Amino acid sequence: MLISLGAGTAHAADCPANSQAAALKLREEVQALSQAGRWAEAAQRGRCLVNMATMLFGATHATTINLKSDLVTLLQRSGDASGAAALERELPRPASASADESADSALTQLIVESKALQDRGDIEGAGDRCIVARRIVEERKLPESVLVAAVLNECGRVFEALGNYKMAEQRYKESDAMARRTGGPRNQQSSVALNNLGLLYWKTSQYDKAAVALQQSLEMADTGDPDRAATLVNLGLVEGALGHADEARRRYEEARALVLQHYGPDHPRLAFIYDNLAALEWRAGRLAQAVQQQREANRVAEHNIAAVIAIGSERQKLAYMRSFTDQSDASVSLGLAMPGDARHGALALDAVLQRKGRVLSALAASLDRVRRRSSAADAEVWTAFVRSRQPGTQAPVSGRAKAPGEREQVEALLARGEGADVAAEDLVRNVDMNQVRRALGVGSALLEFVAYQSRAPAGPGPFAASPPRYAAFLLKREGDLVWVDIGARADVDRLVSDLRAGLANPRATYTRDIARNLYGELLGKFERALTGIERLYVAPDGALNLVPIAALQDANGRAVLDRFVVAYLSSGRDLVRSAAAKGGPAGVGVAQRRSVIVANPEFGAVSGAGVRCGPFPPLHGTQGEGTAIASLLPGAQLVTDLGATETAVKGVQRPHVLHMATHGYFGPLANCNTTAPTAGAVEADTTRENDPLQRSGLVLAGANHLASGRDDGLLTSMEVTAMDLTGTDLVVLSACDSGLGDVVAGEGVFGLRRAFELAGARRQVMSLWKVPDAETARLMRGFYAALKAGQDPARALAQAQRDLRDDPTGHFSAPFYWATFIVSGDPRPFVP
């Protein structure tokens, strides 16, 4: 791992020693209180820290502004909205900087924001800040200075992150030269720019140039400067690449001591240092020591993930988690290097449990808190945001529909939600395999899959990454962990694609062989360990999210459906979260929450004037399905025909069960004109076209004419996320393709499946391919009858599937009819 430095970092090297020590100690105290969720105390101590920074550095210094920005967040989370607003007014507003504002303050704030965004993986946001900073420099014709040199350095980091190494090199050199001209031959900004230049040369295998630049960086920095640690790590990488292992180790250990001295044992920079020490040990064949160092790297990373992942948009969260991909891959690879050593297996599985599905978990928690605590004004902000992302709200080029500051408003709204109920999130932090093991019931097992790139020492240079692969872990309440490499991801995905093509055709004759082959790849290697297992929790990854495990067959031709009760999870950490969770919404019991069944929507005439979408054919068979299910759920509300509008469905709040029998879709809708007429040219919005939450959804009454109450009849996944299904025990989508979406390794399926979880639903039943109307109605009646008889959703679905498959007529024996539906979510017992 390598470390780049943002410009503008300040230290109190010229201050009295006791002031510097007091500031460092106070900062650690604020961080500890924040991580414990003690926001009010953290804010109180944060005020002291801002006052100290103001005295040490001045009100417009980057460190002071950064600490003020942090304090705004602390005040928001502690509930002091007025205090946060007052302090926020003191911060520079560079995007609208006027002539009478301080250019230095504007540039300083932009540098701080760019560095923070890039450290979280948000390169787009960092680039935006860099562009504004360059515009201020050019428009105001600012003279050369160390601050302008810092802007050049920050722009170089953005270019490097985008892969434009030539422009990055140029910016770093310009930054170094300007800093020397304006700040003297030895200054911190030159040290920073040279560090980043050396890092760039390392990336491009120009090791001699890298060594020179990094050595110059070290010579320019003060001996006690904590930022020396970054340069020491990067110099260690160069030494390692040149085959000087002992010298590399010495550099890493010196960097570790410097960070521990100044920041304590949890600073994020330590994760990179431990990563590199683990690589050294692995390369030397000392695997036990490598595991120890990698576990320390993962511990520090997890400590910081828990604090950072709650902040920002979904895009920012995903980008931040991607920054740990190399570390996660190294952990899995190191775990697989010794398949018989329990310490290796625990290292790998713990890393998977900590990272996989983490963004979904954090975002769901944030949205849940917003729904529980937001005001009517907050609700309007969120609703307007969702509405603005719908295809029908495109606007002329001269004026986009999106209101100014809209993203900022939504992210501030989420931040307020993130600041509450931190104890609930603490329940799923630092999850390890032993916690998951304790959450497993007797006779149950977790089968956790992960997509990864195998990394292993290959000479003195950087680790070589193989093409993507799958690995799997089988964990039981008792007995040893079993973990194996499944094989190349491309080969497995090809089998998945072939299986799905066969299952979607009831007359296909080749499906059985593929089902056996895929069983051998995914479950066959665990055959002995599966003895005595009755319930199998499957946490898939990649394309495996689209596999109906129940339809696979073992070597004897026996379907998984006949061997195990299968339930799907995002990750094994869901078991820990469910074990710690309580009942439904506060003060609302099951008896007070009625169920809602939506069936047989009247889509409108399928031909003639006025047809603007589809057309979608009627689903008359779902009328009987809805009526039968309503009779099994006490007090259920049946919504059908013209009443089954999109507006009506959006108005449903926190039902016990939500069942929707209608058309579903994933992908572009043919012959659908969802763009509202506008005056003038319409600006193309590729964000909507590329967003899987916009390209998937459910079809409701009036959709053929795009008139469904106050909406168009196409309930997109994005709109689903804005619904309030907090505490809803079960969502059943008796619709085609309702479980499909864009598959993202480590984060599941981006479509209706993800949307309903974000909306608050605890469990879901969804389909993996297009399903026949009459057969689905029969399957659903059997499913609800089994629920009514006291079976949990996974067991009830398995019973209904077997009953349909084993019908005496033999008409429904093909998996096409019975295997399409899967159950995912909360594994706890369910009361219908």
Side-chain angles (χ1 to χ4, degrees):
M1 295 291 180
L2 40 85
I3 305 174
S4 66
L5 293 177
T9 307
H11 306 288
D14 298 328
C15 300
N18 61 338
S19 297
Q20 181 182 17
L24 289 170
K25 183 177 180 181
L26 187 57
R27 180 170 58 181
E28 292 169 1
E29 185 179 345
V30 172
Q31 290 173 341
L33 289 167
S34 299
Q35 290 157 4
R38 295 159 64 179
W39 305 114
E41 296 170 72
Q44 183 180 13
R45 304 302 291 156
R47 287 186 184 278
C48 298
L49 186 57
V50 168
N51 291 337
M52 185 177 293
T54 302
M55 289 187 290
L56 289 172
F57 311 122
T60 62
H61 195 279
T63 297
T64 307
I65 293 173
N66 202 12
L67 291 172
K68 277 187 176 182
S69 180
D70 291 343
L71 180 56
V72 169
T73 301
L74 291 174
L75 290 169
Q76 289 173 337
R77 295 183 172 189
S78 68
D80 186 359
S82 59
L87 186 60
E88 196 165 20
R89 286 192 291 271
E90 299 179 14
L91 295 173
R93 296 179 298 280
S96 59
S98 57
D100 59 345
E101 285 185 306
S102 166
D104 285 358
S105 296
L107 291 180
T108 300
Q109 178 66 5
L110 283 164
I111 290 169
V112 169
E113 290 179 1
S114 177
K115 180 183 183 302
L117 289 167
Q118 188 164 179
D119 287 348
R120 291 173 55 190
D122 186 358
I123 308 305
E124 180 184 341
D128 289 343
R129 303 309 191 276
C130 185
I131 290 170
V132 174
R134 288 296 301 271
R135 186 181 301 137
I136 291 174
V137 171
E138 293 168 1
E139 290 178 353
R140 301 191 185 183
K141 296 181 174 58
L142 298 180
E144 288 190 349
S145 66
V146 172
L147 186 57
V148 176
V151 171
L152 291 170
N153 174 78
E154 222 37 58
C155 293
R157 294 180 76 220
V158 171
F159 278 124
E160 183 177 346
L162 294 172
N164 191 338
Y165 293 164
K166 183 177 180 179
M167 289 298 297
E169 179 184 9
Q170 181 179 331
R171 292 292 180 266
Y172 292 147
K173 287 181 175 179
E174 290 173 352
S175 177
D176 171 43
M178 186 181 293
R180 288 175 190 255
R181 289 194 297 269
T182 57
R186 178 177 176 176
N187 65 81
Q188 183 190 2
Q189 183 52 48
S190 280
S191 178
V192 167
L194 286 166
N195 170 81
N196 294 341
L197 182 62
L199 183 154
L200 181 64
Y201 286 143
W202 177 87
K203 277 185 177 179
T204 54
S205 301
Q206 302 177 73
Y207 300 130
D208 291 338
K209 284 186 175 181
V212 171
L214 291 168
Q215 191 60 50
Q216 289 178 345
S217 176
L218 276 183
E219 292 169 356
M220 287 193 170
D222 292 330
T223 305
D225 186 346
D227 271 352
R228 280 173 54 90
T231 307
L232 287 166
V233 169
N234 295 333
L235 196 52
L237 288 168
V238 174
E239 298 287 2
L242 294 172
H244 307 153
D246 290 341
E247 184 64 16
R249 180 178 285 102
R250 185 177 72 80
R251 299 291 190 183
Y252 296 148
E253 290 176 348
E254 185 180 350
R256 179 177 61 188
L258 195 59
V259 175
L260 287 171
Q261 174 189 349
H262 285 273
Y263 301 122
D266 299 320
H267 192 275
R269 194 166 290 167
L270 282 171
F272 301 118
I273 296 172
Y274 288 127
D275 272 332
N276 292 323
L277 284 169
L280 275 182
E281 301 293 2
W282 193 357
R283 185 173 277 118
R286 294 189 288 267
L287 295 186
Q289 291 88 336
V291 168
Q292 182 179 355
Q293 296 288 359
Q294 192 64 56
R295 188 168 282 283
E296 274 298 289
N298 293 351
R299 179 195 64 78
V300 175
E302 169 60 19
H303 180 87
N304 289 283
I305 287 172
V308 173
I309 194 66
I311 302 171
S313 66
E314 182 175 30
R315 176 178 59 85
Q316 291 173 326
K317 295 178 199 292
L318 289 168
Y320 178 67
M321 290 305 299
R322 279 196 294 270
S323 69
F324 295 97
T325 298
D326 288 351
Q327 186 182 80
S328 300
D329 288 346
S331 299
V332 174
S333 301
L334 186 53
L336 291 165
M338 290 288 287
D341 190 319
R343 292 170 298 179
H344 284 249
L347 169 74
L349 180 54
D350 285 349
V352 173
L353 293 170
Q354 288 172 356
R355 312 288 167 81
K356 190 176 162 192
R358 195 61 178 273
V359 172
L360 175 60
S361 175
L363 194 59
S366 298
L367 290 173
D368 178 61
R369 292 166 194 157
V370 167
R371 284 188 291 266
R372 289 173 182 263
R373 288 173 166 74
S374 63
S375 64
D378 289 340
E380 181 57 31
V381 169
W382 179 254
T383 301
F385 173 71
V386 173
R387 188 183 301 120
S388 74
R389 297 186 66 182
Q390 299 313 304
T393 57
Q394 293 172 319
V397 176
S398 58
R400 290 181 59 85
K402 188 168 67 173
E406 177 188 88
R407 177 187 292 181
E408 290 75 10
Q409 291 182 57
V410 173
E411 291 185 4
L413 176 61
L414 289 176
R416 291 199 292 276
E418 287 151 2
D421 285 349
V422 174
E425 179 64 14
D426 285 342
L427 293 172
V428 294
R429 287 180 181 171
N430 303 315
V431 169
D432 59 34
M433 76 171 202
N434 289 324
Q435 291 173 275
V436 176
R437 189 194 297 273
R438 289 192 292 271
L440 286 166
V442 176
S444 64
L446 168 69
L447 184 57
E448 184 89 44
F449 293 98
V450 63
Y452 78 107
Q453 282 192 286
S454 179
R455 299 177 183 273
F463 280 12
S466 73
R469 303 180 68 81
Y470 284 112
F473 304 80
L474 186 73
L475 181 67
K476 300 186 290 187
R477 188 176 182 90
E478 297 179 353
D480 296 333
L481 171 70
V482 183
W483 67 103
V484 297
D485 176 77
I486 295 296
R489 184 174 173 182
D491 294 339
V492 176
D493 287 357
R494 194 175 301 112
L495 278 176
V496 171
S497 178
D498 290 345
L499 177 71
R500 285 178 49 77
L503 290 177
N505 180 359
R507 292 179 294 277
T509 58
Y510 60 85
T511 307
R512 182 174 300 177
D513 290 339
I514 300 175
R516 289 184 180 180
N517 290 340
L518 199 52
Y519 177 95
E521 294 292 335
L522 304 184
L523 282 81
K525 298 172 183 179
F526 300 104
E527 200 64 69
R528 181 178 299 178
L530 287 169
T531 302
I533 296 301
E534 188 266 343
R535 180 179 293 267
L536 193 61
Y537 294 109
V538 178
D541 201 1
L544 302 182
N545 280 281
L546 306 179
V547 175
I549 296 292
L552 302 185
Q553 297 182 15
D554 62 20
N556 297 319
R558 191 180 182 192
V560 170
L561 177 67
D562 297 315
R563 295 186 55 185
F564 311 108
V565 173
V566 178
Y568 288 71
L569 305 171
S570 297
S571 163
R573 68 188 295 115
D574 292 350
L575 291 165
V576 179
R577 181 172 58 179
S578 295
K582 297 180 181 179
V588 181
V590 171
Q592 297 170 271
R593 293 183 290 136
R594 65 178 177 179
S595 299
V596 176
I597 296 92
V598 179
N600 192 27
E602 174 52 65
F603 304 119
V606 297
S607 62
V611 176
R612 295 178 57 196
C613 191
F616 301 100
L619 294 172
H620 298 310
T622 63
Q623 180 71 46
E625 174 184 339
T627 302
I629 293 168
S631 68
L632 294 171
L633 297 174
Q637 177 187 4
L638 179 59
V639 182
T640 65
D641 301 320
L642 293 175
T645 64
E646 180 183 353
T647 302
V649 171
K650 285 179 177 178
V652 173
Q653 289 193 337
R654 304 185 180 188
H656 176 42
V657 174
L658 175 61
H659 181 101
M660 301 188 67
T662 185
H663 290 298
Y665 66 91
F666 176 74
L669 287 172
N671 304 317
C672 260
N673 177 19
T674 58
T675 303
T678 58
V682 174
E683 178 180 17
D685 194 337
T686 56
T687 301
R688 295 184 183 118
E689 294 174 1
N690 296 327
D691 188 344
L693 296 186
Q694 301 287 14
R695 291 184 286 110
S696 57
L698 298 168
V699 184
L700 293 161
N704 287 337
H705 304 282
L706 297 180
S708 187
R710 294 186 302 274
D711 299 283
D712 60 13
L714 302 176
L715 178 64
T716 67
S717 295
M718 171 57 67
E719 291 173 304
V720 169
T721 63
M723 293 177 65
D724 185 359
L725 301 180
T726 306
T728 294
D729 283 300
L730 180 64
V731 168
V732 179
L733 299 186
S734 181
C736 299
D737 300 334
S738 57
L740 299 187
D742 282 358
V743 175
V744 178
E747 280 296 322
V749 179
F750 279 61
L752 284 166
R753 218 192 288 191
R754 186 180 186 87
F756 274 101
E757 185 162 350
L758 291 177
R762 289 175 173 161
R763 303 171 187 82
Q764 302 171 44
V765 175
M766 295 191 170
S767 64
L768 298 178
W769 58 80
K770 295 186 184 300
V771 290
D773 188 4
E775 287 80 356
T776 297
R778 179 172 172 175
L779 179 72
M780 286 298 161
R781 287 194 293 270
F783 169 67
Y784 279 99
L787 282 179
K788 187 72 173 177
Q791 297 185 21
D792 62 81
R795 193 181 298 276
L797 180 61
Q799 182 62 54
Q801 289 174 326
R802 283 192 295 269
D803 289 346
L804 184 62
R805 180 197 62 183
D806 299 338
D807 181 84
T809 65
H811 291 328
F812 313 116
S813 60
F816 167 78
Y817 295 107
W818 56 264
T820 181
F821 286 98
I822 61 173
V823 175
S824 65
D826 195 333
R828 291 178 296 169
F830 166 78
V831 179

